[in-house]
Amino acid sequence: MTTTDMPRPLDADATQSVSKKRPRKAGSGGLRRAVPATTLLWILACLYGLPVLWFILSSLKPASDLFSYPLTLVPHNPTLSGYLTAWRSANFSQYFVNTAIVCVITTILTVGASCCTGYALAKYDNKWLKVFFLCILATTMLPSEVMLAPEFLVVRNLGLYNSFSGIILPAVLTATGCFMFRQFFLTVPDELVEAARIDGARELSIFLRIMVPLSRPIMLTLAILSFQWRWNDYIWPLLMLNDPNKFTVQIGIQSIVGAQNINWSVLLGASVISMIPLIVIFLVFQRYVMGADINAGLKD
């Protein structure tokens, strides 16, 4: 004897109640929380972006329109004469090559030295390493202008004056890079290192095969920052170089400025040209830095 169970009214009501979800209320709540934050971000973006937009649009104005009253944001007669004059009046191709050599070599050495130093400071327990780390942090409290004279004397006595090596070597070890890698390696569990040592891995193998791949986001971040620092550096190359064929981009832009008057249209065009490599590098590598998982491969 077979019976067919009919659904009870209570079960039907329960099924309908389960099927009715409440995404609207949750979505509306999330939307209400997102609107103020998004509005604030747009306001900050406008505040930071307006001077940059004014700067770029001003580079398209003729020299006679830069200081016309009333001031205008959009150029009435846009022209590229400032860019063309800047490129022709300065040897920008040579400046770009010189600056690229300095930036690439310095960035590679900075990332490598900072990674090694940060790993040693984070994973080796020694009181002298702690003292050394405090000395590194103490250098951030000194203005860079205070260290220019002793650094110049050391580089000159080493015979590196008027050479790219004199610009690169003093900029290799940075307190910021050492601090970034140390703080990252402190988040890596010590059990991971101990397990590798138990399996017979040597210290160099642990560093190269485990720690370096894990620190990829920090390496990319420091590489972008180091490249930007060296590209925008002006004071140190100005002190170290006296050969026009070795000038960097920032010194080349300064050479455009006349002693009595300044052609602002040409200067703005040259400044925008010098920004292009930094913008390209950021657009290429930002997804690797912003989309990277810093804790990838780590399990407690």
Side-chain angles (χ1 to χ4, degrees):
M1 180 177 179
T2 59
T3 58
T4 303
D5 295 334
M6 298 297 295
R8 299 179 181 178
L10 182 59
D11 296 338
D13 295 339
T15 304
Q16 293 178 0
S17 62
V18 170
S19 62
K20 293 182 180 179
K21 299 181 180 179
R22 300 178 180 178
R24 294 184 179 180
K25 292 185 178 180
S28 61
L31 182 62
R32 285 195 301 268
R33 291 191 297 269
V35 167
T38 305
T39 304
L40 179 60
L41 290 177
W42 274 107
I43 294 174
L44 292 176
C46 293
L47 291 177
Y48 282 95
L50 182 60
V52 178
L53 180 63
W54 193 304
F55 166 70
I56 296 176
L57 293 178
S58 297
S59 65
L60 300 175
K61 295 180 181 179
S64 58
D65 295 345
L66 287 174
F67 300 101
S68 61
Y69 185 81
L71 297 176
T72 58
L73 177 63
V74 181
H76 297 293
N77 300 313
T79 178
L80 297 176
S81 59
Y83 293 90
L84 298 177
T85 305
W87 188 267
R88 293 170 183 170
S89 60
N91 191 8
F92 264 101
S93 58
Q94 185 64 41
Y95 297 157
F96 271 100
V97 172
N98 297 340
T99 312
I101 293 174
V102 172
C103 292
V104 171
I105 297 177
T106 306
T107 299
I108 295 175
L109 294 178
T110 298
V111 172
S114 300
C115 186
C116 296
T117 306
Y119 174 72
L121 295 174
K123 293 304 178 183
Y124 291 99
D125 189 10
N126 189 294
K127 63 178 182 180
W128 295 112
L129 286 177
K130 297 179 181 178
V131 174
F132 180 63
F133 177 63
L134 293 177
C135 294
I136 294 176
L137 289 183
T139 60
T140 61
M141 305 177 188
L142 296 175
S144 58
E145 291 79 6
V146 175
M147 305 176 65
L148 286 178
E151 285 183 357
F152 177 81
L153 293 176
V154 172
V155 173
R156 186 196 62 180
N157 295 334
L158 291 175
L160 301 178
Y161 180 72
N162 194 29
S163 65
F164 292 151
S165 300
I167 303 175
I168 294 172
L169 293 180
V172 169
L173 190 61
T174 62
T176 302
C178 296
F179 181 78
M180 289 173 58
F181 275 100
R182 177 184 178 273
Q183 295 304 114
F184 171 78
F185 286 131
L186 286 177
T187 62
V188 179
D190 294 335
E191 291 80 4
L192 186 64
V193 180
E194 295 298 332
R197 290 171 180 169
I198 294 175
D199 291 339
R202 297 183 178 181
E203 296 298 321
L204 184 60
S205 178
I206 295 173
F207 174 72
L208 294 178
R209 301 178 63 181
I210 298 178
M211 294 301 172
V212 172
L214 289 178
S215 62
R216 180 186 175 188
I218 306 299
M219 297 176 67
L220 292 174
T221 304
L222 181 60
I224 294 175
L225 293 177
S226 177
F227 193 94
Q228 179 185 357
W229 294 337
R230 302 287 75 82
W231 188 273
N232 292 327
D233 195 6
Y234 170 71
I235 297 296
W236 185 245
L238 181 65
L239 293 176
M240 291 302 304
L241 301 175
N242 58 9
D243 186 0
N245 294 325
K246 297 181 180 180
F247 282 173
T248 58
V249 170
Q250 303 305 325
I251 303 178
I253 294 176
Q254 190 274 339
S255 63
I256 298 176
V257 179
Q260 301 296 331
N261 56 0
I262 301 175
N263 191 336
W264 289 102
S265 179
V266 177
L267 183 60
L268 290 174
S271 301
V272 173
I273 292 174
S274 67
M275 292 170 51
I276 294 177
L278 296 180
I279 296 175
V280 172
I281 289 175
F282 176 77
L283 293 178
V284 171
F285 291 102
Q286 67 166 343
R287 66 188 184 94
Y288 294 102
V289 177
M290 302 177 66
D293 186 7
I294 295 179
N295 294 322
L298 302 183
K299 294 182 180 180
D300 292 336

